[in-house]
Amino acid sequence: MNKQEVQQRVLKDGKPLPLNQFTWDEKTRTFASDIHGLVLDFTGINGVTFKTGSDCTFKTGSDCTFKTGSYCTFKTGWNCTFKTSYNCTFKTGPGCTFTTESDCTFTTSWGCASKTGSDCTFKTISAG
């Protein structure tokens, strides 16, 4: 995927994010932007690393890594790793790892591990 193709998957206020407001490394499949309030739709795209600001919404495939600011929402496949600040919502498949601050909500499948601050809620599916 090239930078122009990525641009079509990253919106700010309903419009594609300008090319000069993010970086895309094709080799490592890493997206980075310090812009807040992005909507990133990588549905069906696996193995991407995201580094973003706050108040972002993600839709992705599996095996993704997220390093974000606060107030983000994630809907992903499995085997994802999250390192976020506070007030994040996660809807994931199995095999996820979470490292967050406080006030987070998790809806996950089985095989997930977490390290969080206070006031977090978990809804999980058992392994058997």
Side-chain angles (χ1 to χ4, degrees):
M1 196 168 9
N2 65 35
K3 191 170 183 179
Q4 288 75 20
E5 291 169 320
V6 169
Q7 180 186 37
Q8 298 307 307
R9 296 176 174 277
V10 181
L11 303 179
K12 172 70 176 168
D13 299 324
K15 299 177 184 168
L17 189 64
L19 293 172
N20 66 347
Q21 292 186 357
F22 71 94
T23 60
W24 172 252
D25 184 322
E26 286 186 55
K27 184 190 286 185
T28 64
R29 298 174 58 91
T30 299
F31 171 89
S33 177
D34 59 1
I35 304 298
H36 302 292
L38 301 178
V39 175
L40 300 100
D41 190 346
F42 283 69
T43 301
I45 306 297
N46 302 329
V48 178
T49 297
F50 299 92
K51 299 177 182 179
T52 72
S54 302
D55 197 30
C56 296
T57 299
F58 299 86
K59 296 179 184 176
T60 73
S62 304
D63 295 311
C64 296
T65 300
F66 304 87
K67 296 179 181 178
T68 74
S70 307
Y71 297 97
C72 295
T73 300
F74 304 88
K75 184 175 181 181
T76 72
W78 53 86
N79 290 332
C80 298
T81 300
F82 303 89
K83 295 182 180 179
T84 74
S85 192
Y86 53 89
N87 268 357
C88 297
T89 300
F90 304 91
K91 295 182 181 178
T92 73
C96 301
T97 301
F98 304 94
T99 304
T100 74
E101 290 184 19
S102 61
D103 202 21
C104 299
T105 300
F106 301 87
T107 303
T108 71
S109 190
W110 54 272
C112 298
S114 64
K115 182 177 184 180
T116 70
S118 61
D119 295 321
C120 294
T121 302
F122 297 88
K123 293 181 183 179
T124 63
I125 298 171
S126 66

